């Protein structure tokens, strides 16, 4: 069993007196899809914010490939190979789908400033390549026909898929998906599920926060269940599904 | 032909000022393009103006060196000004730069070496209309090239959603600082050029109303396109000329009238046409129902 | 020494009043009202105009303050409310308030000209009292008294009235407040009224203290107000009061020991120092980064 890609240890996030995350620990192995589920308010998005660096933990540790990740600013965490989507969708509203994905390539592009300012051909070539890569990603998420649409004019489901494409553009080791299928119809959900399996097959790890339990059971190799900021179950989908603590958390006291 | 030359001479000053104001407008545009409001550019212009004037007058430096200093010095000053506040919410930059502009102005008023409030006179006239417009053209070109590039996209991303941009690997503080420095350099350059065009500089030429002017140029013209601020500068440099003709008929002083009109135009634009004049064609298009079905 | 303390407290009370206006609007709307100093100026002119028409200063003061409050309501309606829904409401709000400030200043210039105007002789009492080894004028005493009365009134308003509770709720979270049934638009309008009234009061008191009124008088005070709210913590009312007095006292001591030309340097230095060392100020909330 290889060393985990992502390790979260005794993670704590306190806002004043409230502990949104209260001593959570779990690990995600390389090339695996790891689900993070739990009732509303369980702290799932807070965990994503902590791993991606938008929040700094009040206690505990986060490590990527063995090296500490917590405390680093978001752009350095991204540079270490972490990309994310947002629960509330945060595309750049006035940029086209393609341009949004282009921004996602920021870390992977190394054009020369001089070439660009002097309008040298090398600059045009690099831009063509970057656009081609962006278009390929959009095609992969099924949006080949919407490349030039401004993000604000896309449908909800389309926006979520552009966000995934944008996150993939940096070729991350770890992809954090925060409710990527919220508001999608069943066909779209299946497409996203297939996409997630593909991404894992590419060797990337996925940390998937979701409310769609069927999707999670389908696609995840392992699952961590949170409630009130604490881990109440952790393991393979089949085991977690019948765990009494999980059932209680979702449905109240057992019948 | 003679008539044309005569007309040109009369309006030379106006044309020069459109160019200078264009540079100043661009200096505010650079930070606006990444969503930041920097209000200290009159201070940067003052530093550039005085530095250049002192170099040509007291050190007999070549004009090119003076202009270089006029651009470089403010850019360097922008670093300790920007670094502490660019990590914080945007409001802190606004406040710090307001403070900075005042510090520079008051510092100059109290500095005897440069004659305090009276300022410097008899600065050699080395800046021509042509030079101003050439430098403006270069600045425009460079900023235009920046726009569709990787860095231009990063700036646009910072403007539209800074935290999201950070999660994509963009070091937003560094970009914002870079734009602050570029803006400072442009303002300083404009200051240095102006000093050598009008032969004099004085602290009250760099009061806060100057910054509001620059803001009006940039916002009215629009920051959606690089030439927007120039358009705004042209429009609002010519406007006072028009107002000067009109004000006697209204029985109003031209100075306050210009101020009033500036304020009204800025308010109208920010409320009703926030993307500025350059966005008119697109705004018109969208209003006519150009939205394609999803 | 006592004299300096008296002068410092007197000056500080005006700064504190002015800064309270800034901080109130910032606390509620998360926005800086850059037209606040212009309202400060307009209220002074209003008082001047009223006195010029024979109104006694004791009546002119509350009238001018009321006028300032109403200008504040107008300001909110015209320059801030239409922008609230926008994504970049912070920047556009700053810009529109700057526009309003410019318009106000232009109107004042058109109405009263650029030169210094003064209250007619006899408006301001010039009796003085001895206190220890120092002198305190009746005017200074009155100004400090009025300022303190306003602080207490504001404090009572914020902690003991329903409006005050609603203001605090909106400051905490407009969305939550709306869900709880608070008329957010009304609360914001009231906040601007109170904020501008405070700024106007500071303006009238300042113009009585220094007897020099001109359209650009807001400029100098604006910066001090900004320094005070940064020092006190943006959005913190106690902070504005404490920092206002601190600035007043520091300025007086610096002038006494280093000379008058250093006066403004105090607020600038203070401003930049705080930004460097502790941006949240004395009592400010810690959320300083963009979310």
């Amino acid at each position: 069993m290889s060393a985990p890609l992502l390790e979260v240890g005794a993670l704590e996030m306190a806002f004043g007196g409230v502990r949104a995350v209260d001593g959570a620990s779990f690990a995600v192995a390389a090339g695996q899809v790891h689900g993070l589920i739990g009732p509303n308010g369980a702290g799932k998005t807070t965990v994503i914010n902590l791993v991606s660096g938008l929040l700094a933990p009040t206690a505990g540790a986060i490590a990527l490939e063995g090296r500490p990740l917590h405390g680093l600013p978001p752009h350095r965490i991204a540079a270490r190979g972490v990309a994310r989507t947002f629960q509330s969708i945060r595309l750049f509203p006035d940029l086209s789908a393609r341009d949004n994905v282009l921004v996602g390539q920021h870390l992977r592009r190394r054009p020369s400033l001089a070439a660009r300012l002097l309008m040298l051909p090398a600059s045009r070539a690099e831009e063509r390549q970057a656009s081609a890569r962006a278009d390929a990603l959009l095609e992969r998420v099924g949006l080949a026909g919407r490349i030039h649409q401004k993000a604000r004019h896309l449908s909800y489901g389309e926006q979520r898929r552009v966000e995934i494409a944008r996150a993939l553009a940096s070729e991350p080791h770890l992809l954090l998906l925060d409710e990527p299928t919220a508001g999608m119809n069943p066909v779209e959900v299946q497409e996203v599920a297939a996409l997630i399996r593909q991404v894992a097959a590419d060797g990337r790890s996925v940390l998937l926060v979701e409310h769609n339990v069927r999707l999670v059971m389908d696609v995840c190799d392992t699952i961590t269940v949170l409630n009130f900021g604490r881990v109440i179950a952790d393991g393979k989908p089949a085991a977690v599904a019948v765990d009494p603590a999980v059932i209680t958390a979702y449905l109240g006291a057992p019948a | 032909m003679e008539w044309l030359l005569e007309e040109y001479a009369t309006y030379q000053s106006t044309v020069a000022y459109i160019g200078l104001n264009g540079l100043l407008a661009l200096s505010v545009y650079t930070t606006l393009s990444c969503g930041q409001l920097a209000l200290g550019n009159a201070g940067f212009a003052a530093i550039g103006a005085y530095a250049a004037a002192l170099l040509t007058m007291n050190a007999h430096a070549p004009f090119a060196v003076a202009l270089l200093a006029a651009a470089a010095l403010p850019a360097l000053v922008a670093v300790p000004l920007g670094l502490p506040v660019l990590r914080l919410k945007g409001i802190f930059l606004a406040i710090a730069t307001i403070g900075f502009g005042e510090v520079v102005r008051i510092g100059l008023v109290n500095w005897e070496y440069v004659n305090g409030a009276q300022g410097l006179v008899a600065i050699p006239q080395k800046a021509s209309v042509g030079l101003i417009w050439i430098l403006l053209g270069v600045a425009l070109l460079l900023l235009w090239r920046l726009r569709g590039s990787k860095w231009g996209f990063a700036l646009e991303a910072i403007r539209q959603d800074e935290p999201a941009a950070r999660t994509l690997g963009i070091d937003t503080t560094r970009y914002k600082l870079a734009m602050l420095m570029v803006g400072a350099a442009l303002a300083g350059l404009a200051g240095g050029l102006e000093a050598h065009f009008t032969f004099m500089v004085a602290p009250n030429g760099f009061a806060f109303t100057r910054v509001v002017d620059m803001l009006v140029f940039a916002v009215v013209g629009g920051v959606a396109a690089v030439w927007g601020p120039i358009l705004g500068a042209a429009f609002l440099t010519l406007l006072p000329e028009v107002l000067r003709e009109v004000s006697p008929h209204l029985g109003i002083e031209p100075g306050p009238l210009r101020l009033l009109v500036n304020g009204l135009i800025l308010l109208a634009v920010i409320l009703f046409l926030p993307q500025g004049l350059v966005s008119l064609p697109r705004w018109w298009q969208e209003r006519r129902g150009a939205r394609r079905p999803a | 020494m006592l004299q300096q303390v008296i002068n410092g407290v007197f000056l500080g009370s005006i700064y504190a009043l002015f800064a309270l206006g800034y901080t109130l609007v910032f606390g509620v709307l998360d926005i800086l009202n850059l037209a606040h100093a212009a309202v400060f100026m307009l209220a002074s002119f209003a008082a001047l105009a009223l006195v010029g028409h024979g109104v006694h200063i004791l009546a002119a003061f509350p009238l001018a303050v009321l006028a300032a409050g109403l200008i504040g309501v107008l300001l909110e309606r015209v320059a801030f409310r239409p922008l609230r829904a926008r994504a970049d409401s912070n920047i556009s709000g700053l810009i529109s308030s700057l526009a309003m400030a410019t318009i106000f200043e232009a109107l004042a210039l058109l109405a009263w000209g650029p030169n210094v105007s003064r209250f007619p002789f006899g408006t301001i009492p010039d009796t003085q009292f001895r206190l220890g080894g120092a002198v305190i004028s009746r005017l200074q005493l009155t100004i400090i008294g009025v300022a303190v009365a306003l602080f207490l009134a504001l404090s009572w308003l914020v902690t003991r009235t329903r409006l005050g509770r609603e203001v605090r709720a909106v400051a905490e979270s407009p969305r939550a407040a709306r869900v709880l049934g608070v008329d957010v638009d009304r609360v914001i309008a009231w906040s601007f009224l109170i904020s501008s009234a405070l700024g106007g009061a500071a303006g009238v008191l300042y113009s009585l203290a220094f007897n020099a009124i001109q359209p650009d008088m807001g400029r100098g005070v604006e910066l001090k107000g900004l320094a005070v709210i940064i020092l006190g913590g943006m959005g913190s009312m106690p902070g504005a009061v404490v920092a206002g007095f601190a600035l007043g006292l520091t300025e007086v001591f610096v002038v006494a020991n280093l000379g008058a030309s250093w006066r403004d340097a105090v607020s600038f230095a203070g401003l930049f120092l705080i930004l460097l060392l502790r941006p949240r100020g004395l009592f400010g909330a810690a959320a300083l980064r963009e979310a």
Side-chain angles (χ1 to χ4, degrees), chain B residues 35 87 89-90 163 252 270-271, chain C residues 86 91 110 288-291:
Chain B
R87 285 175 288 119
K89 281 189 180 163
I252 307 178
I270 201 78
L271 286 178
Chain C
R86 292 210 205 148
I91 281 205
L110 288 170
L288 299 171
R289 245 262 180 232
E290 305 284 349

Side-chain angles (χ1 to χ4, degrees), chain C residues 34-45:
Chain C
L34 287 176
H36 192 55
V39 174
F40 169 92
M41 175 268 294
L42 284 178
S44 310
F45 274 112

Side-chain angles (χ1 to χ4, degrees), chain B residues 42 46 50 102 104-106 108-109 116-120 194 200-210, chain C residues 216:
Chain B
Y50 273 81
E102 274 298 285
V104 171
R105 194 186 62 82
I106 293 187
L108 287 171
V109 165
Q118 269 140 344
L120 305 169
E194 187 188 22
M200 56 186 193
V201 281
N204 67 359
F206 301 103
F208 188 65
T209 45
R210 201 88 196 269
Chain C
D216 66 356

Side-chain angles (χ1 to χ4, degrees), chain A residues 149-162:
Chain A
Q149 282 292 348
K150 266 203 196 171
R152 61 161 85 245
H153 294 152
L154 294 171
S155 76
Y156 203 58
E158 288 171 337
Q159 287 184 14
R160 286 214 178 274
R161 284 185 280 161
V162 172

Side-chain angles (χ1 to χ4, degrees), chain B residues 32 35-37 39 81 84-85 87-92 94-96 98-100 102-103 106 110 162-163 166 173 208-209 212 215 219 252 256 259-260 263-264 266-267 270-271 274, chain C residues 26 30 32 34 78-79 82-83 86 91-92 94-96 98-100 102-103 105-107 109-110 219 222-223 226 229-230 234 261 264 268 271-272 275-276 279 287-291:
Chain B
L32 281 176
Q36 307 300 299
L37 190 59
L39 296 170
L81 174 64
V85 293
R87 285 175 288 119
L88 310 172
K89 281 189 180 163
I91 188 78
F92 288 96
I95 293 178
I98 291 177
F100 171 73
E102 274 298 285
V103 171
I106 293 187
N110 286 317
E162 188 177 343
R166 298 177 80 213
T173 303
F208 188 65
T209 45
V212 178
L215 198 57
V219 171
I252 307 178
L259 203 61
L260 182 64
L264 287 169
L266 183 59
L267 187 66
I270 201 78
L271 286 178
Chain C
F26 187 84
D30 225 6
L32 195 63
L34 287 176
V78 169
L83 300 175
R86 292 210 205 148
I91 281 205
S92 47
L94 281 174
I95 293 179
S96 73
L98 263 181
M100 292 299 289
T102 308
I103 293 172
E105 193 176 329
L107 290 173
L109 275 171
L110 288 170
R219 194 85 65 231
E222 172 168 63
L223 200 50
L226 292 177
I229 58 169
I230 294 277
M234 306 228 280
S261 52
D264 294 331
F268 304 148
L271 178 64
F272 289 114
L275 285 177
L276 262 176
L288 299 171
R289 245 262 180 232
E290 305 284 349

Side-chain angles (χ1 to χ4, degrees), chain C residues 155-176:
Chain C
S155 174
W156 171 81
L157 186 80
V158 167
T159 50
R160 293 293 173 84
T161 65
R162 189 174 139 208
L163 176 66
R165 271 198 301 280
E166 293 181 337
V167 167
R168 277 181 291 146
V170 172
E172 185 79 37
S173 161
R175 201 179 303 170

